[in-house]
Amino acid sequence: MQIGLVAGGGRTEKPMLKAGRAFHKFAAKRNEWPKVRGVAMNPVDHPHGGGNHQHLGRAATRSRYAPPGQKVGLIAARRTGRIRGRAADKVEVE
């Protein structure tokens, strides 16, 4: 049996509101911020980069056995897209 509340509970639910707070938060941790999207990069920097507009231009799914430089996006995705046919009926029943 446990009595009371966990210390600091709900602390992460408060919005950071400005970039400076995120800067200081992640400066204490590791190099995770700012996080640049792959589509915003050049093709030499990321597999999703390049093109005349910011879009992937190819499927985001990758094989589990792809080499490390290629493994971005949905790695070893079991399924993607809309559920169609008999599988859709099964999802509705559950």
Side-chain angles (χ1 to χ4, degrees):
M1 187 170 139
Q2 185 176 354
I3 300 172
L5 297 172
V6 177
R11 180 181 58 85
T12 57
E13 294 169 16
K14 180 180 175 183
M16 278 195 259
L17 295 179
K18 59 182 194 173
R21 295 200 182 126
F23 173 83
H24 292 295
K25 173 190 172 183
F26 287 105
K29 294 171 184 277
R30 61 204 72 81
N31 189 19
E32 285 182 2
W33 188 89
K35 192 168 276 184
V36 181
R37 293 167 302 135
V39 290
M41 299 180 187
N42 288 322
V44 294
D45 301 319
H46 198 276
H48 292 166
N52 288 340
H53 308 283
Q54 288 189 10
H55 69 291
L56 296 186
R58 64 195 65 81
T61 54
R62 283 285 177 254
S63 165
R64 186 184 306 280
Y65 310 105
Q70 211 176 63
K71 263 189 172 171
V72 293
L74 305 169
I75 300 165
R78 290 194 180 94
R79 57 162 303 277
T80 60
R82 188 162 61 96
I83 300 174
R84 303 176 71 178
R86 295 184 66 112
D89 300 335
K90 197 182 294 183
V91 170
E92 288 175 15
V93 171
E94 290 178 13

Coordinates of all heavy atoms in Angstrom, one line a residue:
M1 N 0.8 -1.2 0.0 CA 0.0 0.0 0.0 C 0.9 1.2 0.0 O 1.9 1.3 0.7 CB -0.9 0.0 1.3 CG -1.9 1.1 1.3 SD -3.0 0.8 2.6 CE -3.2 2.4 3.2
Q2 N 0.4 2.2 -0.8 CA 1.2 3.5 -0.9 C 0.3 4.7 -0.5 O -0.8 4.7 -0.9 CB 1.7 3.6 -2.3 CG 2.6 4.8 -2.5 CD 3.2 4.8 -4.0 OE1 2.9 3.9 -4.7 NE2 3.9 5.8 -4.3
I3 N 0.9 5.6 0.2 CA 0.2 6.7 0.7 C 0.9 8.0 0.1 O 2.1 8.1 0.1 CB 0.1 6.8 2.2 CG1 -0.6 5.6 2.8 CG2 -0.6 8.1 2.6 CD1 -0.5 5.5 4.2
G4 N 0.1 8.9 -0.4 CA 0.6 10.2 -0.9 C 0.8 10.2 -2.4 O 0.2 9.4 -3.1
L5 N 1.5 11.2 -2.9 CA 1.7 11.4 -4.3 C 3.2 11.3 -4.7 O 4.0 11.5 -3.8 CB 1.2 12.8 -4.7 CG -0.3 13.0 -4.5 CD1 -0.6 14.5 -4.8 CD2 -1.1 12.2 -5.5
V6 N 3.4 11.1 -6.0 CA 4.8 11.1 -6.4 C 5.3 12.5 -6.5 O 4.6 13.4 -7.0 CB 4.9 10.4 -7.8 CG1 6.3 10.4 -8.4 CG2 4.4 9.0 -7.7
A7 N 6.5 12.7 -6.0 CA 7.1 14.1 -6.1 C 7.3 14.5 -7.5 O 7.8 13.8 -8.3 CB 8.4 14.1 -5.3
G8 N 6.9 15.8 -7.8 CA 7.1 16.3 -9.1 C 6.1 15.8 -10.2 O 6.4 15.9 -11.4
G9 N 5.1 15.2 -9.8 CA 4.1 14.6 -10.7 C 3.4 15.7 -11.5 O 3.0 16.7 -10.9
G10 N 3.3 15.5 -12.8 CA 2.6 16.5 -13.7 C 3.5 17.7 -14.1 O 3.1 18.6 -14.8
R11 N 4.8 17.6 -13.7 CA 5.7 18.7 -14.1 C 5.9 18.8 -15.6 O 6.0 19.9 -16.1 CB 7.1 18.4 -13.4 CG 8.2 19.5 -13.7 CD 9.5 19.1 -13.1 NE 10.0 17.8 -13.5 CZ 10.7 17.6 -14.6 NH1 11.0 18.6 -15.4 NH2 11.1 16.4 -14.9
T12 N 5.9 17.7 -16.3 CA 6.1 17.8 -17.8 C 4.9 18.2 -18.5 O 5.0 18.5 -19.7 CB 6.5 16.4 -18.3 OG1 5.5 15.4 -17.9 CG2 7.9 16.0 -17.7
E13 N 3.7 18.4 -17.9 CA 2.5 18.8 -18.5 C 2.5 20.3 -18.8 O 1.6 20.8 -19.6 CB 1.3 18.3 -17.7 CG 1.2 16.8 -17.7 CD 0.1 16.4 -16.6 OE1 -0.7 17.2 -16.2 OE2 0.2 15.2 -16.3
K14 N 3.3 21.0 -18.1 CA 3.3 22.5 -18.3 C 4.1 22.8 -19.6 O 5.2 22.3 -19.8 CB 4.0 23.1 -17.1 CG 4.1 24.6 -17.2 CD 4.9 25.1 -15.9 CE 5.1 26.6 -16.0 NZ 5.9 27.1 -14.9
P15 N 3.5 23.6 -20.5 CA 4.2 24.0 -21.7 C 5.4 24.8 -21.5 O 5.5 25.6 -20.5 CB 3.1 24.8 -22.5 CG 2.2 25.3 -21.5 CD 2.2 24.3 -20.4
M16 N 6.5 24.7 -22.3 CA 7.7 25.4 -22.2 C 7.6 26.9 -22.6 O 8.3 27.7 -22.2 CB 8.8 24.7 -22.9 CG 9.4 23.6 -22.1 SD 11.0 23.0 -22.8 CE 10.4 21.6 -23.6
L17 N 6.7 27.1 -23.5 CA 6.3 28.5 -24.0 C 7.3 29.2 -24.9 O 6.9 30.0 -25.7 CB 5.9 29.4 -22.8 CG 4.7 29.0 -22.0 CD1 4.4 29.9 -20.9 CD2 3.4 28.9 -22.9
K18 N 8.6 28.9 -24.7 CA 9.6 29.6 -25.5 C 10.8 28.8 -25.7 O 11.1 27.8 -24.9 CB 10.0 31.0 -24.9 CG 10.6 30.9 -23.5 CD 10.8 32.3 -23.0 CE 11.7 32.3 -21.8 NZ 12.2 33.7 -21.4
A19 N 11.5 29.1 -26.8 CA 12.7 28.2 -27.1 C 13.8 28.3 -26.1 O 14.5 27.3 -26.0 CB 13.2 28.7 -28.5
G20 N 13.9 29.4 -25.4 CA 15.0 29.5 -24.5 C 14.9 28.5 -23.3 O 15.9 28.0 -22.9
R21 N 13.7 28.1 -22.9 CA 13.5 27.1 -21.9 C 13.9 25.8 -22.4 O 14.5 25.0 -21.7 CB 12.1 27.2 -21.3 CG 11.8 28.5 -20.6 CD 10.7 28.4 -19.7 NE 10.5 29.8 -19.1 CZ 9.3 30.5 -19.2 NH1 8.3 29.9 -19.7 NH2 9.3 31.6 -18.6
A22 N 13.6 25.5 -23.6 CA 14.0 24.2 -24.2 C 15.5 24.1 -24.4 O 16.1 23.1 -24.2 CB 13.3 24.0 -25.6
F23 N 16.1 25.3 -24.7 CA 17.5 25.3 -24.8 C 18.2 25.0 -23.5 O 19.1 24.1 -23.5 CB 18.0 26.8 -25.3 CG 19.5 27.0 -25.3 CD1 20.2 26.6 -26.4 CD2 20.1 27.5 -24.2 CE1 21.6 26.8 -26.4 CE2 21.5 27.7 -24.2 CZ 22.2 27.3 -25.3
H24 N 17.8 25.5 -22.5 CA 18.4 25.2 -21.2 C 18.1 23.8 -20.7 O 18.9 23.2 -20.0 CB 18.0 26.3 -20.1 CG 18.5 27.6 -20.4 ND1 19.9 27.9 -20.4 CD2 18.0 28.8 -20.8 CE1 20.1 29.2 -20.7 NE2 18.9 29.7 -21.0
K25 N 16.9 23.4 -21.0 CA 16.5 22.0 -20.6 C 17.4 21.0 -21.3 O 18.0 20.1 -20.6 CB 15.1 21.7 -21.0 CG 14.7 20.3 -20.7 CD 13.3 20.0 -21.3 CE 13.0 18.6 -21.3 NZ 11.7 18.2 -21.9
F26 N 17.6 21.1 -22.6 CA 18.4 20.1 -23.3 C 19.9 20.3 -23.2 O 20.7 19.4 -23.4 CB 18.0 20.1 -24.8 CG 16.7 19.4 -25.0 CD1 15.5 20.2 -25.2 CD2 16.5 18.1 -24.9 CE1 14.3 19.6 -25.4 CE2 15.3 17.4 -25.0 CZ 14.2 18.2 -25.3
A27 N 20.3 21.6 -22.8 CA 21.7 21.8 -22.6 C 22.3 21.0 -21.4 O 23.4 20.6 -21.4 CB 22.0 23.3 -22.3
A28 N 21.4 20.7 -20.5 CA 21.8 19.9 -19.3 C 21.9 18.4 -19.6 O 22.4 17.6 -18.9 CB 20.9 20.2 -18.2
K29 N 21.3 18.0 -20.8 CA 21.2 16.6 -21.1 C 22.2 16.2 -22.2 O 23.4 15.9 -21.8 CB 19.8 16.3 -21.6 CG 18.7 16.4 -20.5 CD 17.4 16.3 -21.1 CE 16.3 16.6 -20.0 NZ 16.0 15.4 -19.2
R30 N 21.8 16.3 -23.4 CA 22.7 15.9 -24.5 C 22.3 16.6 -25.8 O 21.3 17.4 -25.7 CB 22.7 14.3 -24.7 CG 21.3 13.8 -25.1 CD 21.1 12.4 -24.7 NE 21.0 12.1 -23.3 CZ 19.8 12.3 -22.6 NH1 18.7 12.8 -23.2 NH2 19.8 12.1 -21.4
N31 N 23.0 16.4 -26.8 CA 22.7 17.2 -28.1 C 21.4 16.6 -28.8 O 21.5 15.9 -29.7 CB 23.9 17.1 -29.0 CG 23.7 18.1 -30.1 OD1 23.0 19.0 -30.1 ND2 24.5 17.8 -31.2
E32 N 20.3 17.0 -28.3 CA 19.0 16.6 -28.8 C 18.2 17.7 -29.4 O 17.1 17.5 -29.9 CB 18.1 15.9 -27.8 CG 18.5 14.5 -27.4 CD 17.6 13.9 -26.4 OE1 16.6 14.5 -26.0 OE2 17.9 12.8 -26.0
W33 N 18.6 18.9 -29.2 CA 17.8 20.1 -29.6 C 18.7 21.2 -30.2 O 19.8 21.3 -29.7 CB 17.2 20.6 -28.3 CG 16.2 21.7 -28.5 CD1 14.8 21.5 -28.7 CD2 16.4 23.1 -28.5 NE1 14.2 22.7 -28.9 CE2 15.1 23.7 -28.8 CE3 17.5 23.9 -28.4 CZ2 15.0 25.1 -28.9 CZ3 17.4 25.3 -28.5 CH2 16.1 25.9 -28.7
P34 N 18.2 21.9 -31.2 CA 17.0 21.7 -31.9 C 17.0 20.5 -32.8 O 18.1 20.1 -33.3 CB 16.8 23.0 -32.7 CG 18.2 23.5 -32.9 CD 19.0 23.0 -31.7
K35 N 15.9 19.9 -33.1 CA 15.8 18.7 -33.9 C 15.3 19.1 -35.3 O 14.2 19.5 -35.5 CB 14.8 17.7 -33.2 CG 14.8 16.3 -33.9 CD 14.1 15.3 -33.0 CE 14.9 14.8 -31.9 NZ 14.3 13.8 -31.1
V36 N 16.2 19.0 -36.2 CA 15.9 19.3 -37.6 C 15.3 18.2 -38.4 O 15.8 17.0 -38.2 CB 17.2 19.8 -38.3 CG1 16.9 20.2 -39.8 CG2 17.8 21.0 -37.6
R37 N 14.2 18.4 -39.1 CA 13.6 17.3 -39.8 C 14.4 16.9 -41.0 O 15.2 17.7 -41.6 CB 12.2 17.8 -40.4 CG 11.2 18.1 -39.3 CD 10.0 18.8 -39.9 NE 10.5 20.1 -40.5 CZ 10.1 20.5 -41.7 NH1 9.2 19.9 -42.4 NH2 10.5 21.7 -42.1
G38 N 14.3 15.6 -41.3 CA 15.1 15.1 -42.5 C 14.7 15.7 -43.8 O 15.6 15.9 -44.7
V39 N 13.4 16.0 -44.0 CA 13.0 16.6 -45.3 C 13.5 18.0 -45.4 O 13.5 18.5 -46.6 CB 11.5 16.6 -45.4 CG1 10.9 15.2 -45.6 CG2 10.8 17.3 -44.2
A40 N 13.9 18.6 -44.4 CA 14.5 20.0 -44.5 C 15.9 20.0 -44.8 O 16.5 21.1 -45.1 CB 14.3 20.7 -43.2
M41 N 16.6 18.8 -44.9 CA 18.0 18.7 -45.1 C 18.3 18.5 -46.6 O 17.4 18.4 -47.4 CB 18.6 17.5 -44.3 CG 18.5 17.7 -42.8 SD 19.2 16.2 -42.0 CE 18.7 16.6 -40.4
N42 N 19.5 18.5 -47.0 CA 20.0 18.1 -48.3 C 20.1 16.6 -48.4 O 20.3 15.9 -47.4 CB 21.3 18.8 -48.6 CG 21.2 20.3 -48.8 OD1 20.2 20.8 -49.3 ND2 22.1 21.1 -48.2
P43 N 20.1 16.1 -49.7 CA 20.2 14.7 -49.8 C 21.5 14.1 -49.3 O 21.5 12.9 -48.9 CB 20.1 14.4 -51.3 CG 20.1 15.8 -51.9 CD 19.9 16.8 -50.9
V44 N 22.6 14.8 -49.2 CA 23.8 14.3 -48.6 C 23.7 14.1 -47.1 O 24.5 13.3 -46.6 CB 25.0 15.2 -49.0 CG1 25.3 15.2 -50.5 CG2 24.9 16.6 -48.5
D45 N 22.8 14.8 -46.5 CA 22.7 14.8 -45.0 C 21.7 13.8 -44.5 O 21.8 13.3 -43.4 CB 22.3 16.2 -44.5 CG 23.3 17.2 -44.9 OD1 24.5 16.9 -44.9 OD2 22.9 18.3 -45.3
H46 N 20.7 13.4 -45.3 CA 19.6 12.6 -44.8 C 18.9 11.9 -46.0 O 18.8 12.5 -47.1 CB 18.6 13.4 -44.0 CG 17.7 12.6 -43.1 ND1 16.6 12.0 -43.6 CD2 17.8 12.4 -41.8 CE1 16.0 11.4 -42.6 NE2 16.7 11.6 -41.5
P47 N 18.5 10.7 -45.8 CA 17.8 10.0 -46.9 C 16.5 10.7 -47.4 O 16.0 10.5 -48.5 CB 17.5 8.6 -46.4 CG 18.5 8.4 -45.4 CD 18.8 9.7 -44.8
H48 N 15.8 11.5 -46.5 CA 14.6 12.1 -46.8 C 14.8 13.5 -47.4 O 13.9 14.2 -47.8 CB 13.7 12.3 -45.6 CG 13.2 11.1 -45.0 ND1 12.6 11.0 -43.8 CD2 13.1 9.8 -45.5 CE1 12.2 9.7 -43.5 NE2 12.5 9.0 -44.6
G49 N 16.1 13.9 -47.6 CA 16.4 15.3 -48.0 C 16.3 15.5 -49.5 O 16.2 14.5 -50.3
G50 N 16.3 16.7 -49.9 CA 16.4 17.1 -51.3 C 15.0 17.2 -51.9 O 14.0 17.1 -51.3
G51 N 15.0 17.5 -53.2 CA 13.7 17.7 -54.0 C 13.4 19.2 -54.0 O 14.0 20.0 -53.3
N52 N 12.4 19.5 -54.8 CA 12.0 20.9 -54.9 C 11.0 21.4 -53.9 O 10.6 22.5 -53.8 CB 11.4 21.2 -56.3 CG 12.5 21.1 -57.4 OD1 13.7 21.3 -57.0 ND2 12.1 20.9 -58.6
H53 N 10.4 20.4 -53.2 CA 9.5 20.7 -52.1 C 9.8 19.8 -50.9 O 10.4 18.8 -51.1 CB 8.0 20.5 -52.5 CG 7.7 21.2 -53.8 ND1 7.4 22.6 -53.9 CD2 7.6 20.7 -55.0 CE1 7.2 22.9 -55.1 NE2 7.3 21.8 -55.9
Q54 N 9.4 20.2 -49.7 CA 9.7 19.4 -48.6 C 8.8 18.2 -48.5 O 7.7 18.3 -47.8 CB 9.7 20.2 -47.3 CG 10.9 21.1 -47.2 CD 11.0 21.8 -45.9 OE1 10.3 21.5 -44.9 NE2 11.9 22.8 -45.8
H55 N 9.1 17.1 -49.2 CA 8.3 15.9 -49.1 C 9.3 14.7 -49.2 O 10.4 14.9 -49.7 CB 7.3 15.8 -50.2 CG 7.9 15.7 -51.6 ND1 8.6 16.7 -52.2 CD2 7.9 14.6 -52.4 CE1 9.0 16.3 -53.4 NE2 8.6 15.0 -53.5
L56 N 8.9 13.5 -48.8 CA 9.8 12.4 -48.8 C 10.2 12.0 -50.2 O 11.3 11.7 -50.5 CB 9.2 11.2 -48.0 CG 8.9 11.4 -46.5 CD1 8.4 10.1 -45.9 CD2 10.1 11.9 -45.8
G57 N 9.2 11.9 -51.1 CA 9.4 11.5 -52.4 C 9.5 10.0 -52.6 O 9.7 9.5 -53.8
R58 N 9.5 9.2 -51.6 CA 9.5 7.8 -51.6 C 8.9 7.2 -50.4 O 8.6 8.0 -49.4 CB 11.0 7.3 -51.8 CG 11.9 7.6 -50.6 CD 13.3 7.4 -50.8 NE 13.8 8.3 -51.8 CZ 14.1 9.6 -51.6 NH1 14.0 10.1 -50.3 NH2 14.6 10.4 -52.5
A59 N 8.7 6.0 -50.3 CA 8.1 5.4 -49.1 C 9.0 5.5 -47.9 O 10.2 5.5 -48.0 CB 7.9 3.9 -49.3
A60 N 8.4 5.8 -46.7 CA 9.2 6.0 -45.5 C 9.5 4.6 -44.8 O 10.3 4.6 -43.9 CB 8.4 6.8 -44.5
T61 N 9.0 3.5 -45.3 CA 9.2 2.2 -44.7 C 10.6 1.7 -45.1 O 11.0 1.8 -46.3 CB 8.1 1.2 -45.1 OG1 8.0 1.2 -46.5 CG2 6.8 1.6 -44.5
R62 N 11.3 1.1 -44.2 CA 12.6 0.5 -44.5 C 12.7 -0.9 -43.9 O 12.0 -1.2 -42.9 CB 13.7 1.3 -43.8 CG 14.0 2.6 -44.5 CD 14.9 2.3 -45.7 NE 15.1 3.6 -46.4 CZ 14.5 3.9 -47.6 NH1 13.6 3.2 -48.1 NH2 14.9 5.0 -48.2
S63 N 13.5 -1.7 -44.6 CA 13.7 -3.1 -44.1 C 14.4 -3.1 -42.8 O 15.2 -2.2 -42.5 CB 14.4 -3.8 -45.2 OG 14.9 -5.0 -44.7
R64 N 14.2 -4.1 -42.0 CA 14.9 -4.3 -40.8 C 16.4 -4.6 -41.1 O 17.2 -4.3 -40.3 CB 14.3 -5.5 -40.0 CG 14.9 -5.7 -38.7 CD 14.3 -7.0 -38.0 NE 12.9 -7.0 -37.9 CZ 12.2 -6.4 -37.0 NH1 12.7 -5.6 -36.1 NH2 10.9 -6.5 -37.1
Y65 N 16.7 -5.1 -42.3 CA 18.0 -5.5 -42.6 C 18.7 -4.4 -43.5 O 19.8 -4.7 -44.0 CB 18.0 -6.8 -43.4 CG 17.2 -7.8 -42.6 CD1 15.9 -8.2 -43.1 CD2 17.6 -8.4 -41.4 CE1 15.1 -9.1 -42.4 CE2 16.9 -9.3 -40.7 CZ 15.7 -9.6 -41.2 OH 14.9 -10.5 -40.5
A66 N 18.2 -3.2 -43.5 CA 18.8 -2.1 -44.2 C 20.1 -1.7 -43.5 O 20.2 -1.8 -42.3 CB 17.8 -0.9 -44.3
P67 N 21.1 -1.2 -44.3 CA 22.3 -0.7 -43.6 C 22.0 0.5 -42.8 O 21.0 1.3 -43.0 CB 23.2 -0.4 -44.8 CG 22.3 -0.2 -46.0 CD 21.1 -1.1 -45.7
P68 N 22.9 0.8 -41.8 CA 22.6 1.9 -40.8 C 22.4 3.3 -41.4 O 21.5 4.0 -40.9 CB 23.9 1.9 -39.9 CG 24.4 0.5 -40.0 CD 24.1 0.0 -41.4
G69 N 23.0 3.6 -42.5 CA 22.8 4.9 -43.1 C 21.4 5.1 -43.8 O 21.0 6.2 -44.1
Q70 N 20.8 4.0 -44.0 CA 19.5 4.0 -44.7 C 18.3 3.9 -43.8 O 17.2 4.1 -44.1 CB 19.5 2.7 -45.6 CG 18.8 2.9 -46.9 CD 19.0 1.6 -47.7 OE1 18.6 0.5 -47.3 NE2 19.6 1.7 -48.9
K71 N 18.6 3.5 -42.5 CA 17.5 3.2 -41.6 C 16.9 4.5 -41.0 O 17.3 4.9 -39.8 CB 18.1 2.3 -40.4 CG 17.8 0.9 -40.7 CD 18.1 0.1 -39.5 CE 17.7 -1.4 -39.6 NZ 18.2 -2.2 -38.6
V72 N 16.1 5.1 -41.7 CA 15.3 6.3 -41.2 C 13.9 6.1 -41.6 O 13.6 5.4 -42.6 CB 15.8 7.6 -41.7 CG1 17.2 7.9 -41.2 CG2 15.8 7.6 -43.2
G73 N 12.9 6.6 -40.9 CA 11.5 6.5 -41.2 C 10.9 5.4 -40.4 O 11.2 5.1 -39.2
L74 N 10.0 4.6 -41.0 CA 9.3 3.5 -40.4 C 10.1 2.2 -40.6 O 10.1 1.6 -41.6 CB 7.9 3.4 -41.0 CG 7.1 4.6 -40.9 CD1 5.8 4.5 -41.8 CD2 6.7 5.0 -39.5
I75 N 10.9 1.9 -39.6 CA 11.8 0.7 -39.7 C 11.0 -0.6 -39.4 O 10.4 -0.7 -38.3 CB 13.0 0.9 -38.7 CG1 13.8 2.1 -39.1 CG2 13.9 -0.4 -38.8 CD1 14.7 2.6 -38.0
A76 N 11.0 -1.5 -40.3 CA 10.4 -2.8 -40.2 C 8.9 -2.6 -39.8 O 8.4 -3.3 -38.9 CB 11.1 -3.7 -39.2
A77 N 8.2 -1.7 -40.5 CA 6.8 -1.5 -40.3 C 6.0 -2.7 -40.6 O 6.1 -3.3 -41.7 CB 6.3 -0.3 -41.1
R78 N 5.1 -3.1 -39.7 CA 4.3 -4.3 -40.0 C 3.2 -4.0 -41.0 O 2.9 -4.8 -41.9 CB 3.6 -4.8 -38.7 CG 4.6 -5.4 -37.7 CD 3.9 -6.1 -36.6 NE 4.8 -6.7 -35.7 CZ 5.2 -6.1 -34.6 NH1 4.7 -4.9 -34.2 NH2 6.1 -6.7 -33.7
R79 N 2.6 -2.8 -40.9 CA 1.7 -2.4 -41.9 C 1.6 -0.9 -42.0 O 1.9 -0.2 -41.0 CB 0.3 -3.0 -41.6 CG -0.3 -2.6 -40.3 CD -1.8 -2.8 -40.2 NE -2.5 -2.1 -41.2 CZ -2.8 -0.8 -41.1 NH1 -2.5 -0.1 -40.0 NH2 -3.4 -0.2 -42.1
T80 N 1.2 -0.3 -43.1 CA 1.0 1.1 -43.2 C -0.2 1.3 -44.0 O -0.8 0.4 -44.7 CB 2.2 1.8 -44.0 OG1 2.3 1.2 -45.3 CG2 3.5 1.6 -43.3
G81 N -0.8 2.5 -43.9 CA -1.9 2.9 -44.7 C -3.2 2.5 -44.1 O -3.3 2.1 -43.0
R82 N -4.3 2.6 -44.9 CA -5.7 2.4 -44.4 C -5.9 0.9 -44.4 O -5.5 0.1 -45.3 CB -6.6 3.0 -45.4 CG -8.0 3.1 -45.0 CD -8.8 4.1 -45.8 NE -8.8 3.8 -47.2 CZ -9.7 3.2 -47.9 NH1 -10.8 2.8 -47.3 NH2 -9.6 3.0 -49.2
I83 N -6.7 0.4 -43.4 CA -7.0 -1.0 -43.3 C -8.2 -1.2 -44.2 O -9.2 -0.5 -44.1 CB -7.4 -1.3 -41.8 CG1 -6.2 -1.1 -40.9 CG2 -7.8 -2.8 -41.7 CD1 -6.5 -1.3 -39.4
R84 N -8.1 -2.2 -45.1 CA -9.1 -2.5 -46.1 C -9.5 -3.9 -46.0 O -8.8 -4.8 -45.5 CB -8.7 -2.1 -47.5 CG -8.2 -0.7 -47.6 CD -7.6 -0.4 -48.9 NE -8.7 -0.4 -49.9 CZ -8.5 -0.1 -51.2 NH1 -7.3 0.2 -51.6 NH2 -9.5 -0.1 -52.1
G85 N -10.7 -4.2 -46.6 CA -11.2 -5.6 -46.7 C -11.6 -6.3 -45.4 O -12.1 -5.6 -44.5
R86 N -11.3 -7.6 -45.3 CA -11.8 -8.3 -44.1 C -11.1 -7.9 -42.8 O -11.6 -8.0 -41.7 CB -11.5 -9.8 -44.3 CG -12.4 -10.4 -45.5 CD -12.1 -11.8 -45.6 NE -12.7 -12.5 -44.4 CZ -13.7 -13.3 -44.4 NH1 -14.4 -13.5 -45.6 NH2 -14.1 -13.9 -43.3
A87 N -9.9 -7.4 -42.9 CA -9.1 -6.9 -41.8 C -9.9 -5.7 -41.1 O -9.9 -5.6 -39.9 CB -7.7 -6.5 -42.1
A88 N -10.5 -4.9 -41.9 CA -11.3 -3.7 -41.4 C -12.4 -4.2 -40.6 O -12.8 -3.6 -39.5 CB -11.7 -2.8 -42.5
D89 N -13.1 -5.3 -41.0 CA -14.2 -5.8 -40.2 C -13.7 -6.4 -38.9 O -14.4 -6.2 -37.9 CB -14.9 -7.0 -41.0 CG -15.4 -6.5 -42.4 OD1 -15.7 -5.3 -42.5 OD2 -15.6 -7.3 -43.3
K90 N -12.6 -7.0 -38.9 CA -12.0 -7.6 -37.7 C -11.7 -6.5 -36.7 O -11.9 -6.6 -35.5 CB -10.8 -8.4 -38.0 CG -10.3 -9.3 -36.9 CD -9.1 -10.0 -37.3 CE -9.3 -10.9 -38.4 NZ -8.1 -11.7 -38.8
V91 N -11.2 -5.3 -37.1 CA -10.8 -4.2 -36.3 C -12.1 -3.6 -35.6 O -12.1 -3.3 -34.4 CB -10.1 -3.1 -37.0 CG1 -9.9 -1.9 -36.2 CG2 -8.7 -3.7 -37.5
E92 N -13.2 -3.5 -36.4 CA -14.4 -2.9 -35.8 C -15.0 -3.8 -34.7 O -15.6 -3.3 -33.8 CB -15.4 -2.8 -37.0 CG -15.1 -1.6 -37.9 CD -16.0 -1.6 -39.1 OE1 -17.1 -2.2 -39.0 OE2 -15.7 -0.9 -40.1
V93 N -14.9 -5.1 -34.9 CA -15.5 -6.0 -33.9 C -14.7 -5.9 -32.6 O -15.3 -6.0 -31.5 CB -15.4 -7.5 -34.4 CG1 -15.8 -8.5 -33.4 CG2 -16.3 -7.6 -35.6
E94 N -13.4 -5.8 -32.6 CA -12.6 -5.8 -31.4 C -12.8 -4.6 -30.5 O -13.3 -3.6 -30.8 CB -11.1 -5.8 -31.7 CG -10.7 -7.2 -32.3 CD -9.3 -7.2 -32.7 OE1 -8.5 -6.3 -32.3 OE2 -8.9 -8.2 -33.4

